[in-house]
C-alpha cells in the first residue's frame, strides 16, 4: 500500500539522520548539504515555480543527507525508493504550490539541515514526522 512506502521512507529518513549525526559530519560535508538546501531555496523562489525543478532539488537535498552517511546500502535503498516516489512527490509539490504553502515546505527542509548541523538527535523524529505532512495528505486518496 501507499502507506507502506510512506512508513518505509519515514523509517529510513529517521535512521539515516541518526547515522549521519552519529558519525559527525565534517564542515565541508555540511557545506555540501547547505548547497543542496540553497538549491532548493532558489528553486522555490523563482518567479515561475517549476514543479519538476523543485522536486529534483528536494531529491538532491535528501540524497545528500544519505550520501553523507557514507553507507552504500542506505544509498542504494534510498535511490530505489526515490525512483518509485518521484511522481507522488511531484503531485505533492503541485498541491503545496497551489495551496500557497511553499514557505512551510522550505522551512521543513531548513529544519532538517539545522538538526544535522547541531547534531540534535532529540529533534529528529518530530522533524521527519513534520516533513511528511504534505506527502501523506496528498496521497491518502
Amino acid at each position: 500500500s501507499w502507506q507502506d512506502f510512506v512508513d518505509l521512507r519515514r523509517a529510513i529518513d529517521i535512521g539515516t539522520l541518526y547515522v549521519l549525526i552519529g558519525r559527525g559530519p565534517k564542515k565541508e560535508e555540511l557545506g555540501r548539504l547547505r548547497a543542496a538546501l540553497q538549491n532548493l531555496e532558489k528553486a522555490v523562489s523563482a518567479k515561475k515555480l517549476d514543479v519538476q525543478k523543485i522536486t529534483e532539488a528536494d531529491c538532491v537535498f535528501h540524497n545528500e543527507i544519505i550520501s553523507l552517511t557514507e553507507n552504500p546500502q542506505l544509498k542504494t535503498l534510498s535511490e530505489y525508493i526515490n525512483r518509485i516516489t518521484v511522481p507522488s512527490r511531484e503531485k505533492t509539490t503541485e498541491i503545496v504550490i497551489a495551496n500557497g504553502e511553499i514557505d512551510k515546505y522550505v522551512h521543513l527542509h531548513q529544519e532538517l539541515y539545522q538538526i544535522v548541523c547541531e547534531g540534535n538527535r532529540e529533534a529528529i523524529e518530530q522533524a521527519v514526522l513534520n516533513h511528511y505532512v504534505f506527502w501523506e495528505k496528498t496521497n491518502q486518496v
Side-chain angles (χ1 to χ4, degrees), residues 45-76:
S45 64
K47 286 185 180 182
K48 185 176 187 301
L49 297 178
D50 182 319
V51 170
Q52 288 181 325
K53 284 184 181 178
I54 293 170
T55 304
E56 181 180 316
D58 172 62
C59 288
V60 167
F61 176 80
H62 289 281
N63 287 341
E64 189 62 43
I65 289 173
I66 292 158
S67 175
L68 294 179
T69 68
E70 298 181 346
N71 183 312
Q73 289 83 13
L74 270 176
K75 187 173 180 181
T76 299

Side-chain angles (χ1 to χ4, degrees), residues 9-132:
R9 185 152 178 243
R10 184 185 300 116
I12 289 171
D13 283 353
I14 289 170
T16 298
L17 288 167
Y18 275 108
V19 169
L20 177 54
I21 288 172
R23 72 172 282 281
K26 299 170 188 76
K27 199 172 200 170
E28 63 272 8
E29 292 173 326
L30 293 176
R32 291 193 343 238
L33 185 57
R34 178 70 188 147
L37 176 61
Q38 288 172 331
N39 185 45
L40 177 62
E41 291 169 338
K42 182 180 175 185
V44 301
S45 64
K47 286 185 180 182
K48 185 176 187 301
L49 297 178
D50 182 319
V51 170
Q52 288 181 325
K53 284 184 181 178
I54 293 170
T55 304
E56 181 180 316
D58 172 62
C59 288
V60 167
F61 176 80
H62 289 281
N63 287 341
E64 189 62 43
I65 289 173
I66 292 158
S67 175
L68 294 179
T69 68
E70 298 181 346
N71 183 312
Q73 289 83 13
L74 270 176
K75 187 173 180 181
T76 299
L77 185 57
S78 295
E79 287 172 354
Y80 173 73
I81 293 169
N82 274 341
R83 279 194 307 272
I84 292 171
T85 60
V86 164
S88 73
R89 290 163 83 177
E90 286 179 347
K91 178 181 168 187
T92 299
T93 302
E94 286 176 9
I95 292 170
V96 166
I97 291 168
N99 292 341
E101 297 179 298
I102 199 72
D103 289 340
K104 183 175 181 187
Y105 176 88
V106 172
H107 175 75
L108 293 170
H109 290 79
Q110 293 165 336
E111 185 177 33
L112 292 178
Y113 171 76
Q114 281 305 122
I115 287 169
V116 172
C117 288
E118 295 167 2
N120 187 354
R121 291 174 183 246
E122 294 77 30
I124 291 173
E125 289 181 42
Q126 190 58 56
V128 172
L129 292 175
N130 292 345
H131 201 80
Y132 283 85

